[in-house]
Amino acid sequence: SFTYAQIAWEKINGPLYPATPFSFLITSNGTQFIGTDNTGLFRSTDGGQTWELKNSGLNGDRITCMAATQNGTIYAGMAAAIYGLARSTDNGETWQNLIYDVEVQTIQVNSLGHIFVGTNSGFYKSTNNGAIWSSYNNGLLNTKIRAIEVVTDSTLFVATDQGIHKTTDEGYNWYPKNQGLVPRGNYIATNSIFLWGDTLYSNTTDAIYFSTNFGEQWIQKASLSWSVYDLQLDSNHVLYLRQNLQKNLFRS
């Protein structure tokens, strides 16, 4: 609940407790999906007024991330007790499990329909709608991937527990891009990576960074006194960040 008025925000109905919202997706046809922390996946076709549980075929009940392709195929990543990646080709009615035994943290798709998945054990790619998956970790200093940003069909960045990495060949080879990022102990744990115009943004647990030369040099934008889990940017160039432990959302 909000402690003060938020004119631009409206609380909508959602899955009831103990279904804790964890991830969110709106497809091109307006269908909304909520992935929960312990109950599986819910779907709404009326703008979030009502929700249906759509777990048919899903192995896991903690949905960490979701993505949709241009042809309407939906992918859902799972972590916690049961890991993996699932696919739906009927708007979430049924699901087919594609990858097992890896904790999926993020999913992205390029304009060619190639699917990129970041997991706790590395980077996976499929070029045939999820039928075959290959792992590409050559050059990664750490294989725990928290976020993926698709810049072009072949150029991608990933945020890992050992900084930012870049590929120009769809993941076959990775190169660290950490100049300017301040480590904490022996690690540079980065939680996000995204491009706005010609500027890349990322964050560690206690700072926000940007790069205007595609990761060759990072500049600290803000130093934070509390742990930040996620960083996002909207179309009006407004930054949002989520504080994990206290469940706060901040805007700049």
Side-chain angles (χ1 to χ4, degrees):
S1 63
F2 290 96
T3 57
Y4 56 91
Q6 287 279 0
I7 297 174
W9 293 89
E10 176 187 357
K11 186 177 181 181
I12 65 172
N13 296 321
L16 297 178
Y17 180 84
T20 306
F22 195 81
S23 55
F24 187 68
L25 173 71
I26 302 178
T27 66
S28 59
N29 65 8
T31 302
Q32 299 179 7
F33 292 89
I34 285 180
T36 69
D37 197 14
N38 49 16
T39 316
L41 196 145
F42 290 80
R43 183 185 71 183
S44 174
T45 56
D46 56 8
Q49 297 306 307
T50 60
W51 296 86
E52 298 177 279
L53 186 65
K54 294 296 179 183
N55 282 344
S56 178
L58 280 179
N59 274 344
D61 57 8
R62 187 187 192 197
I63 311 301
T64 54
C65 54
M66 292 175 282
T69 65
Q70 294 179 350
N71 65 7
T73 302
I74 304 166
Y75 293 88
M78 295 167 286
I82 301 177
Y83 311 148
L85 179 75
R87 176 183 66 193
S88 174
T89 57
D90 54 10
N91 204 33
E93 284 292 334
T94 58
W95 295 87
Q96 175 190 7
N97 293 281
L98 303 174
I99 298 178
Y100 301 86
D101 300 326
V102 292
E103 292 191 56
V104 176
Q105 300 294 335
T106 180
I107 309 166
Q108 293 291 335
V109 183
N110 70 7
S111 65
L112 302 176
H114 298 176
I115 308 150
F116 309 113
V117 173
T119 76
N120 277 11
S121 56
F123 178 86
Y124 287 80
K125 179 177 73 172
S126 174
T127 59
N128 52 11
N129 204 32
I132 299 175
W133 292 87
S134 300
S135 177
Y136 298 100
N137 297 325
N138 183 47
L140 290 177
L141 300 178
N142 185 283
T143 56
K144 187 171 185 178
I145 298 175
R146 298 180 181 271
I148 301 171
E149 175 70 349
V150 178
V151 176
T152 68
D153 284 334
S154 57
T155 300
L156 291 77
F157 287 84
V158 292
T160 76
D161 271 8
Q162 200 57 278
I164 303 298
H165 294 72
K166 177 182 179 181
T167 179
T168 56
D169 53 15
E170 276 201 8
Y172 288 101
N173 297 283
W174 294 96
Y175 303 94
K177 297 294 179 180
N178 294 330
Q179 185 67 38
L181 297 178
V182 179
R184 174 180 282 188
N186 296 323
Y187 295 94
I188 311 174
T190 50
N191 294 325
S192 65
I193 179 72
F194 61 85
L195 180 70
W196 175 262
D198 60 356
T199 302
L200 279 168
Y201 291 86
S202 184
N203 76 284
T204 60
T205 55
D206 55 5
I208 298 172
Y209 295 87
F210 72 94
S211 172
T212 57
N213 53 10
F214 292 95
E216 296 301 322
Q217 177 70 38
W218 291 92
I219 300 171
Q220 185 170 303
K221 189 73 171 178
S223 179
L224 309 171
S225 59
W226 22 260
S227 179
V228 175
Y229 186 77
D230 196 18
L231 182 70
Q232 298 289 336
L233 190 76
D234 71 11
S235 59
N236 295 316
H237 215 188
V238 176
L239 278 166
Y240 295 86
L241 56 87
R242 176 163 60 93
Q243 183 188 17
N244 198 32
L245 294 178
Q246 282 72 34
K247 311 298 183 186
N248 289 323
L249 179 69
F250 291 87
R251 179 182 68 182
S252 173

